[in-house]
Structures are given as structure tokens and as C-alpha cells.
Amino acid sequence: MIAGYETTSTALACSTYILATNPKVQDKLIEEIDQIKWDDRSHDEDTYELVMNLSYLEIFVREVLRMYPITTKGQVRQCNQTINISGHIIEKNSIIQPDIFSIHYDPDLWGPEDPNLFIPERHLAKRHPIAWMPFGVGPRNCVGMRFALMELKMCLIELLQQYRILPSDKTEEGFQLREKISIGPDAVFIKLEKRSV
């Protein structure tokens, strides 16, 4: 549970930084969220369906997690038999760990736009199935993935229904990524401005 909440809070911190520094992206998210009649929903299942079907929110979250994967340590695997892959021999008991940053920032996988730019729409194009792997892949990917995505989306919806996220004087200064248990910023300095709805 601690791992689940800590990684979600880190993803939320990165999301608020992106929103503070990309007002056009924030405008699109607010527009999509405002189109839903949240007070008219009658069941929790309806809420889940509504949240999971917000298409711009989905690609926004995917792009945040592409650019700022929370951890790289969860992808470590041990080879259980010697195998030849594309002419490379991987011995039994070898430890395998993909370089997620190289994958997530590979221009061949994420072009033609510069992978260093935040562009949610890049997720509308069909990509290699393992080009995006913030939760790992295969049968041993993160068991909390669906919970984490739902929690992150609900937090963003609640936040953006009430506030606009603005940069502060220290926004760039605090956003220095450090790797501890997870990879996250030292601090995120933003301003919240109450929306008049």
C-alpha cells in the first residue's frame, strides 16, 4: 500500500508540474472534464466508466508516465534459462533490466516529434507494444496499475474541477529529479487559482 500511494503522489507531482508549465494542455483537460455532468451520476460503476473513458486525460497521464517513469527497479528479471536473442546469448541466472529512459525517449519509438517535448497526442499513434512500460510488461507487471491510474485520474479531475494550476517563481528550481525508492522531483512549486465555475 505504501508503494502504491508514494508512486501515485510522485506521478501527481509530475502532472501538476506539467500542467503549470503547459497551459494549453491544461485548457484541453479542463474542457474535457467540464463536459461531464459529474453530479448526475448514480453509481460508482458509472464514475469508473466516465473516468476511464476520458480520452485526453488518458493520453495526458500516459505522456506524464512516459516522460517521468516513477521507478526502474520493478523491471528487473532473472533469466531462467540460457537463450539466444538476435545473436546475443543471455546466460541462465543473468539479471536483465531494461533501460526505461532509453526506451521512453527513443526517437525511433516516439517520433517523429522530439521525445523530449510533452505531446500527449503522440499516444494516439500505434506504437511498439513495449514502447511504454512505466508499470512493466507481461505477466509480472505492476499489480496495482489499474488502481494507480484510477487514483491519479480522480485526483486530477477533483483538482482541475476547482483550480487552475499556475507556475510559481520557483517552479523550475524545485523540479530536479532524484532517484531514491522512486524517481521524483525534490519539490514542485506551483500556485493554485480558484476557478469560477
Side-chain angles (χ1 to χ4, degrees):
M1 289 297 285
I2 291 170
Y5 286 117
E6 206 263 313
T7 54
T8 303
S9 66
T10 301
L12 187 59
C14 293
S15 296
T16 57
Y17 168 80
I18 290 294
L19 292 170
T21 56
N22 290 275
K24 289 181 182 176
V25 169
Q26 185 171 182
D27 290 342
K28 287 181 184 179
L29 268 181
I30 288 173
E31 182 181 345
E32 182 177 65
I33 290 166
D34 285 352
Q35 288 178 358
I36 303 296
K37 304 288 186 250
W38 297 99
D39 295 332
D40 295 344
R41 63 187 192 267
S42 56
H43 298 86
D44 289 340
E45 298 87 39
D46 294 341
T47 302
Y48 179 81
E49 289 301 318
L50 283 173
V51 171
M52 297 316 273
N53 288 316
L54 291 174
S55 57
Y56 195 75
L57 180 60
E58 174 69 22
I59 62 175
F60 170 80
V61 167
R62 289 179 70 85
E63 184 71 343
V64 168
L65 293 174
R66 180 192 69 82
M67 292 189 74
Y68 305 107
I70 306 304
T71 183
T72 58
K73 305 226 184 302
Q75 325 294 347
V76 177
R77 300 292 182 264
Q78 183 173 0
C79 189
N80 60 9
Q81 66 183 26
T82 299
I83 190 167
N84 182 334
I85 298 178
S86 301
H88 299 282
I89 305 295
I90 301 174
E91 299 291 338
K92 181 178 180 177
N93 297 324
S94 295
I95 302 299
I96 308 295
Q97 180 175 356
D99 180 357
I100 293 173
F101 282 102
S102 292
I103 293 168
H104 282 193
Y105 283 84
D106 185 333
D108 293 333
L109 294 172
W110 292 102
E113 301 88 357
D114 182 351
N116 295 298
L117 300 176
F118 187 87
I119 305 172
E121 291 80 6
R122 75 174 77 240
H123 293 272
L124 298 174
K126 188 172 170 115
R127 308 278 174 183
H128 189 281
I130 323 179
W132 187 79
M133 52 187 305
F135 295 98
V137 292
R140 294 187 60 201
N141 72 335
C142 175
V143 296
M145 179 176 78
R146 286 179 55 173
F147 173 73
L149 289 172
M150 184 64 173
E151 185 180 27
L152 177 58
K153 290 176 182 181
M154 285 302 300
C155 286
L156 288 169
I157 288 167
E158 291 292 329
L159 186 62
L160 292 173
Q161 281 180 316
Q162 299 178 52
Y163 299 97
R164 288 197 64 81
I165 301 169
L166 305 172
S168 79
D169 297 339
K170 296 182 176 182
T171 297
E172 296 296 336
E173 176 187 321
F175 199 78
Q176 305 298 317
L177 296 178
R178 302 278 185 256
E179 185 169 4
K180 297 172 188 164
I181 294 172
S182 61
I183 302 167
D186 283 340
V188 177
F189 296 103
I190 58 166
K191 293 179 186 176
L192 295 178
E193 179 181 83
K194 186 75 173 167
R195 289 180 60 201
S196 53
V197 181

